[in-house]
Amino acid sequence: MAAYLLRRLLGSILILIGISLVTFVLLYLLPADPARQIAGRSATAATVENIREQLGLNLPFYERYLRYLGGLLQGDLGRSYIQRTEVSTLIAARLPPSLLLMGAGILAELLIGLTLGVVAALRRRSRLDQGLMVLSFVGVSAPQFVVGILLIYVFAYRLGWFPLSGYGTPQHLVLPALTLGFLGAGWYARMMRSSMLDVMQQDFVRTARAKGLSKARVILRHAVPNALLPIVAMVGIDVGILMSGIVVVESVFGWPGIGQLAWQAIQRVDIPIIMGVTLVAAWAIVIGNLFADVLALFVDPRIKLR
Amino acid sequence: MRDLSAAVASEQGPRQVLERISFDLYEGETLCIAGESGSGKSITALSLMGLLPEGARVTAGEVWLGGKNLFALPEREMLKVRGGEIAMIFQEPMTSLNPVMTIGTQLVEALRAHRDVSASGAKADAVQMLESVRISDAARRFRQYPHELSGGMRQRVMIAIALCCDPKVLIADEPTTALDVTIQAQILALMEDLQKQFRTAILLITHDMGVVAEMADRVVVMNQGQVVESDNVANVFTSPREAYTQKLLAAVPKLGSMAKRDRPLRAAHSEKAPMSDQRHQPVVRVRDLTVRFDIVGGLLQRPLRRVHAVERISFDIAAGETLALVGESGCGKSTTGKALLNLLPWEGRIAVAGRDIAGLSPAAMAPVRRDIQMIFQDPFASLDPRMTVGRLVAEPLVIHRMAKGQELEDRVVELFRRVGLGPDALRRHPHEFSGGQRQRICIARALTLNPKIIVADESVSALDVSVQAQVLELLQELQDELDLSFLFISHDMSVVEQVSHRVAVMYLGQIVELGPRAAVFENPRHDYTKRLLEAVPIADPTRRRGDRVRLTGEVPSPVRPLDFSPDYVRLNDYGNGHLAAV
């Protein structure tokens, strides 16, 4: 177990270095000039050149990347071009709200998606099943900003149950979490439905019924835990999808997380922040996957880590 | 049971699968329902339990248990009957237990579903139940998960679960079909012992007439959803009334029926004895074949343990000869077959038709594969479902660029004719054929390149006996006509006795006995060979083994630590090519 975790963590460092290189190249190829953005429209060519030199933007590509990587390996994400603050400080301030939102989003999508999936499987081919599958299809295909705005309109503006936007109280969390989880809920409902249908056909479910167990016990104790096994691995992958969702959802709801930080930085070509947020997001995905694999170990006794 | 009829939903509306099935089952007796696949024997059992799969339902009939008509009971009452009064065990011990629950939990759950016992009391009872199905170290096993137990052990656990609430009836649906023959003998013996102890009535469903002869008091023979014949076991075997029963029994290979014969059962009489022809080199020559697999792990993925699948085995196969490779699961017999086709890495020396195949690249192997071909166990899984069978059979010729156009077509039609299929079959897909027909197609595919030898890995094991007999006949005809050799890999001693010239018995990766068929079967020298032969149930109730050996041992695992060096058996020559380990 310890050897496995160590190997996976070492591997994740290589992944992060790879991602940092790809992101760096993409930002380098960008036609926008950060120095001109900072200097403003009226600045002279000399001022722009001055800023470029200060930031080291005049150096050749490989040198810029090696410098960045060197800093990165010492835990230094650099300084924001515009806010003149350490990127790590900015991210540290913005990360807790984002993690809270993601956690709530995952919880929402699992609770809704898995429940609906089980219900649909048990009522297979009924009207209810068909209705739920249409709903899940809507969930998978509806753009998140549309879902977010609709939820705000109905539950915040019309009904007034929740605040329109902002951050602070549990009420603030509900609508963004639902928006974030809506897509995943559709996904999980479909996956759980087919996983349940598969498990219900298995021999051990027949054994459980042959023992004379009640239907509820057969489903909850025997079928559902086994149907969850393939879902667990999906949760790891899901972290990546949520990471991209967070940028949209935080903007719609004015949520002060790293999604908004990234959005603002992209608009102003604030390269150190873009790099920093990308790496944090990548790291979260890697950790999320590792977490899912370790979780699988606990739910499925047959899995042995090697 | 009276006049049970059942139907399953199909695209053409309900299809009748059971027609007016009636029988009685008395306390303490064993009633066997025997029949081939599709006879409706499993559906009968499942409808008794109210466990029919989706789409199937009982259309008429009644089942009386004591004073209750089970088909009239509400579901709430039926829950008490299931597991409480009628319990059931299934064919596949590997999949019949919940993989994410400990066996203890699964056993306790069954106990507490029907009896009002405390958690600790149930645990004590469960451990005791595990002991009574002869699971050693029961307290530790109680905490283990199904995957940590062998197939035989899992079937014991299933029996413990079934019998823990002292049911009146135990339904056993092919309970030993998926198990090795020595394990089968243990499980059958266990069922008999427990039956005496608990006075349980057993309804045993099986396709294996050997098991029927061994276990049954009375027999119900079923075919295509109907009862063909129903009588006590002696009458069914000695004087079957119905033609179907007679045909079925005639097709069953009986161990020991080959005594005093010197050639395989269906071989042509003009056959020249292949062994006598010493001048020709053997078609296959194997020397010191060793196959080991490493199990890797840890930080650097270094080998941790090693599977000793095959250890220094040597044998020859002459032209026109069938060498049978027998042994139980994990003994290395299939691995040996694959090594002959270079399908996995091995050490030692193998020559096929005089060509040394060690270390040949796939390209260099191509001409060798014209001489050696393979047929597998599962005819359903070994044909690509999206290709027509004509293309499947033609494919080897295309790959080896040996024919095209009209010539290719003619060759394929001829091959189909040779295995007993018409030219109209060519354009159809695998799912349109029965199991036996598919295995014929696999044989045609193997014959396409005119091989000298065919490795047949459990090739008739998945077939019903009557179909099995036809396929064996086809294989023998091919051998007589084409002077083909076979490496016949099988766990079924009765079939091996019928088809082989020589037999090699494998145990834990090594050959422990090798010799002419008659010598090995009639005068076995090695203990393991003897045990294997004794464990085979014989389809003759007069030859029932009165006091069976109550073995509990299982074959040890071939997974060993890295520094393990195997003890090689020394083969002693008993004359006439009969070798056995001392």
Side-chain angles (χ1 to χ4, degrees):
Chain A
M1 178 84 178
Y4 173 82
L5 286 178
L6 193 59
R7 207 175 68 233
R8 287 286 299 261
L9 287 173
L10 288 176
S12 74
I13 290 174
L14 290 178
I15 293 173
L16 289 182
I17 291 176
I19 288 172
S20 73
L21 178 60
V22 171
T23 321
F24 212 88
V25 170
L26 288 174
L27 291 172
Y28 179 76
L29 296 175
L30 216 59
D33 182 359
R36 183 158 286 285
Q37 288 279 329
I38 297 162
R41 268 162 205 259
S42 55
T44 61
T47 323
V48 173
E49 195 53 41
N50 201 11
I51 293 172
R52 192 170 287 147
E53 205 155 309
Q54 265 181 28
L55 297 176
L57 293 173
N58 55 342
L59 296 172
F61 172 77
Y62 70 90
E63 206 178 326
R64 282 172 59 188
Y65 178 66
L66 286 180
R67 275 189 184 194
Y68 184 79
L69 194 61
L72 192 63
L73 292 177
Q74 294 165 45
D76 180 8
L77 289 170
R79 287 168 70 89
S80 160
Y81 291 165
I82 292 158
Q83 304 196 34
R84 299 273 156 189
T85 329
E86 289 290 325
V87 172
S88 46
T89 318
L90 284 169
I91 289 179
R94 298 293 198 104
L95 201 53
S98 288
L99 288 179
L100 178 68
L101 180 54
M102 270 188 63
I106 290 180
L107 202 66
E109 67 182 6
L110 288 177
L111 278 179
I112 299 170
L114 299 183
T115 313
L116 296 186
V118 171
V119 170
L122 296 179
R123 295 270 173 277
R124 187 186 179 187
R125 294 204 190 112
S126 68
R127 287 271 167 80
L128 181 64
D129 177 24
Q130 287 166 356
L132 287 176
M133 284 307 104
V134 170
L135 188 70
S136 78
F137 196 72
V138 172
V140 173
S141 42
Q144 275 169 327
F145 65 90
V146 175
V147 175
I149 289 168
L150 275 175
L151 287 178
I152 291 176
Y153 178 76
V154 176
F155 294 101
Y157 178 69
R158 272 290 153 106
L159 298 170
W161 293 356
F162 300 104
L164 286 166
S165 74
Y167 170 71
T169 69
Q171 279 82 5
H172 282 101
L173 184 59
V174 176
L175 292 184
L178 283 177
T179 310
L180 193 60
F182 197 65
L183 179 137
W187 250 104
Y188 284 115
R190 298 191 146 242
M191 273 201 311
M192 191 62 182
R193 177 179 180 271
S194 66
S195 185
M196 272 298 280
L197 290 177
D198 187 38
V199 169
M200 292 299 282
Q201 303 284 324
Q202 302 271 324
D203 289 349
F204 62 81
V205 170
R206 192 179 52 185
T207 305
R209 293 183 60 202
K211 284 180 189 174
L213 303 180
S214 67
K215 190 159 190 204
R217 194 172 167 94
V218 171
I219 290 163
L220 294 177
R221 200 71 179 78
H222 289 272
V224 169
N226 279 284
L228 283 175
L229 300 182
I231 309 283
V232 171
M234 290 305 299
V235 177
I237 296 168
D238 206 30
V239 175
I241 300 170
L242 283 175
M243 271 291 170
S244 57
I246 230 167
V247 177
V248 177
V249 174
E250 286 185 0
S251 299
V252 171
F253 287 91
W255 192 265
I258 58 167
Q260 263 204 18
L261 184 68
W263 179 233
Q264 289 157 3
I266 290 167
Q267 286 172 319
R268 294 189 232 155
V269 206
D270 198 342
I271 290 175
I273 293 187
I274 301 176
M275 284 294 298
V277 172
T278 308
L279 287 176
V280 168
W283 176 79
I285 293 168
V286 170
I287 294 298
N289 271 300
L290 181 57
F291 178 72
D293 290 349
V294 173
L295 189 65
L297 194 69
F298 288 99
V299 291
D300 191 344
R302 285 166 299 183
I303 296 179
K304 290 256 186 307
L305 295 181
R306 292 219 202 105
Chain B
M1 175 177 287
R2 287 291 171 270
D3 294 331
L4 170 68
S5 297
V8 295
S10 72
E11 280 166 25
Q12 294 86 38
R15 189 168 58 84
Q16 189 88 346
V17 287
L18 290 182
E19 250 171 89
R20 298 170 63 90
I21 309 291
S22 303
F23 56 79
D24 298 311
L25 178 64
Y26 299 97
E27 185 185 291
E29 79 160 348
T30 301
L31 176 69
C32 277
I33 300 186
E36 298 188 290
S37 43
S39 62
K41 53 194 195 303
S42 286
I43 294 282
T44 306
L46 290 172
S47 46
L48 244 165
M49 291 286 276
L51 288 179
L52 283 177
E54 207 180 320
R57 62 191 180 85
V58 170
T59 50
E62 42 200 40
V63 173
W64 291 91
L65 177 74
K68 288 183 292 235
N69 178 6
L70 298 188
F71 291 159
L73 283 186
E75 178 65 15
R76 199 163 39 82
E77 291 298 309
M78 199 57 206
L79 286 182
K80 293 184 194 153
V81 173
R82 270 186 226 128
E85 296 184 70
I86 309 180
M88 190 160 178
I89 56 176
F90 303 97
Q91 174 169 357
E92 277 298 336
M94 305 314 258
T95 54
S96 291
L97 290 165
N98 186 339
V100 304
M101 258 171 131
T102 63
I103 62 165
T105 316
Q106 300 189 50
L107 191 47
V108 164
E109 178 185 61
L111 269 165
R112 300 192 76 186
H114 299 284
R115 282 203 275 150
D116 193 17
V117 281
S118 67
S120 59
K123 187 185 166 181
D125 288 355
V127 172
Q128 205 191 343
M129 203 62 218
L130 287 177
E131 277 163 0
S132 65
V133 294
R134 298 196 204 102
I135 286 181
S136 57
D137 207 359
R140 187 170 63 88
R141 297 292 181 198
F142 185 89
R143 291 189 304 273
Q144 286 189 316
Y145 288 94
H147 73 276
E148 299 173 77
L149 274 56
S150 68
M153 293 265 255
R154 289 190 220 187
Q155 201 59 301
R156 286 166 197 273
V157 172
M158 282 298 290
I159 294 175
I161 289 175
L163 294 183
C164 67
C165 296
D166 201 3
K168 296 191 181 97
V169 178
L170 173 66
I171 304 176
D173 187 357
E174 303 273 10
T176 56
T177 307
L179 302 174
D180 278 325
V181 60
T182 56
I183 309 297
Q184 161 168 292
Q186 294 171 23
I187 296 289
L188 293 178
L190 175 69
M191 284 172 58
E192 272 183 348
D193 289 354
L194 293 172
Q195 180 176 38
K196 284 195 194 102
Q197 193 182 333
F198 294 100
R199 299 289 303 152
T200 319
I202 295 182
L203 185 64
L204 179 64
I205 292 163
T206 181
H207 72 285
D208 185 337
M209 296 309 281
V211 171
V212 175
E214 191 82 13
M215 297 290 288
D217 297 311
R218 290 184 306 119
V219 185
V220 170
V221 180
M222 283 183 69
N223 183 36
Q224 298 185 345
Q226 290 177 320
V227 172
V228 176
E229 182 158 358
S230 167
D231 207 337
N232 69 50
V233 66
N235 289 348
V236 168
F237 278 86
T238 53
S239 49
R241 289 191 307 270
E242 300 297 324
Y244 176 79
T245 319
Q246 290 161 6
K247 212 180 86 213
L248 186 68
L249 287 169
V252 175
K254 284 193 200 74
L255 191 68
S257 60
M258 292 288 292
K260 313 284 179 290
R261 298 176 74 124
D262 58 350
R263 53 170 69 90
L265 182 62
R266 300 170 180 86
H269 285 286
S270 61
E271 183 206 14
K272 55 183 189 307
M275 288 299 293
S276 61
D277 207 353
Q278 296 288 358
R279 288 162 303 164
H280 291 295
Q281 59 174 350
V283 175
V284 165
R285 176 187 285 266
V286 175
R287 289 294 173 271
D288 293 328
L289 172 66
T290 299
V291 184
R292 294 171 183 171
F293 309 99
D294 286 344
I295 300 174
V296 298
L299 185 59
L300 299 170
Q301 298 286 292
R302 272 191 299 231
L304 296 178
R305 305 211 292 162
R306 191 165 284 153
V307 185
H308 292 255
V310 178
E311 283 294 340
R312 282 201 204 164
I313 65 168
S314 304
F315 58 84
D316 291 338
I317 305 175
E321 181 185 47
T322 299
L323 175 70
L325 207 50
V326 299
E328 296 184 289
S329 38
C331 74
K333 55 190 193 300
S334 286
T335 308
T336 305
K338 285 179 196 150
L340 293 192
L341 279 92
N342 247 354
L343 296 176
L344 40 78
W346 49 271
E347 288 160 41
R349 278 186 300 140
I350 299 178
V352 175
R355 259 182 298 217
D356 202 326
I357 65 164
L360 289 190
S361 66
M365 244 338 256
V368 179
R369 294 221 171 97
R370 280 176 212 161
D371 289 332
I372 184 163
Q373 282 291 318
M374 199 158 181
I375 321 170
F376 301 92
Q377 170 168 5
D378 190 344
F380 292 82
S382 47
L383 294 171
D384 184 336
R386 283 172 305 180
M387 282 169 82
T388 65
V389 296
R391 274 183 65 206
L392 282 165
V393 171
E395 202 176 24
L397 288 170
V398 176
I399 290 172
H400 289 263
R401 299 205 183 87
M402 286 167 68
K404 57 184 174 195
Q406 190 58 44
E407 189 197 352
L408 181 70
E409 187 113 333
D410 292 345
R411 296 262 307 258
V412 175
V413 171
E414 171 56 23
L415 283 163
F416 270 76
R417 191 200 57 76
R418 187 61 280 263
V419 298
L421 293 169
D424 54 319
L426 257 63
R427 303 203 188 291
R428 288 154 63 190
H429 288 86
H431 71 267
E432 298 173 68
F433 297 91
S434 69
Q437 287 172 322
R438 282 184 225 204
Q439 202 57 298
R440 285 171 190 273
I441 294 163
C442 291
I443 293 170
R445 207 255 321 126
L447 285 176
T448 312
L449 300 171
N450 291 324
K452 296 192 169 67
I453 175 164
I454 290 180
V455 176
D457 189 355
E458 300 279 9
S459 299
V460 296
S461 307
L463 305 175
D464 279 326
V465 277
S466 54
V467 181
Q468 173 177 299
Q470 292 161 14
V471 172
L472 290 175
E473 192 156 330
L474 172 63
L475 292 177
Q476 187 59 55
E477 275 172 36
L478 294 170
Q479 180 165 64
D480 293 344
E481 265 175 51
L482 309 169
D483 212 23
L484 260 179
S485 305
F486 286 106
L487 178 64
F488 192 87
I489 299 169
S490 179
H491 71 283
D492 188 334
M493 300 300 278
S494 320
V495 170
V496 163
E497 190 188 26
Q498 289 192 347
V499 302
S500 57
H501 295 94
R502 287 192 305 140
V503 181
V505 182
M506 281 187 80
Y507 179 73
L508 268 183
Q510 300 188 44
I511 290 181
V512 293
E513 186 152 0
L514 171 68
R517 192 258 312 149
V520 173
F521 275 83
E522 285 154 43
N523 195 11
R525 296 285 181 163
H526 193 265
D527 278 348
Y528 181 68
T529 316
K530 290 178 192 165
R531 242 166 64 203
L532 213 50
L533 287 168
E534 273 164 19
V536 179
I538 298 164
D540 182 351
T542 60
R543 286 170 61 193
R544 207 179 267 197
R545 289 152 298 180
D547 196 26
R548 244 178 293 196
V549 209
R550 260 49 170 169
L551 285 168
T552 49
E554 297 198 5
V555 178
S557 160
V559 182
R560 308 284 194 175
L562 288 181
D563 54 4
F564 175 79
S565 80
D567 288 329
Y568 293 104
V569 297
R570 220 160 39 78
L571 293 175
N572 196 12
D573 194 340
Y574 289 94
N576 196 21
H578 186 187
L579 308 172
V582 280

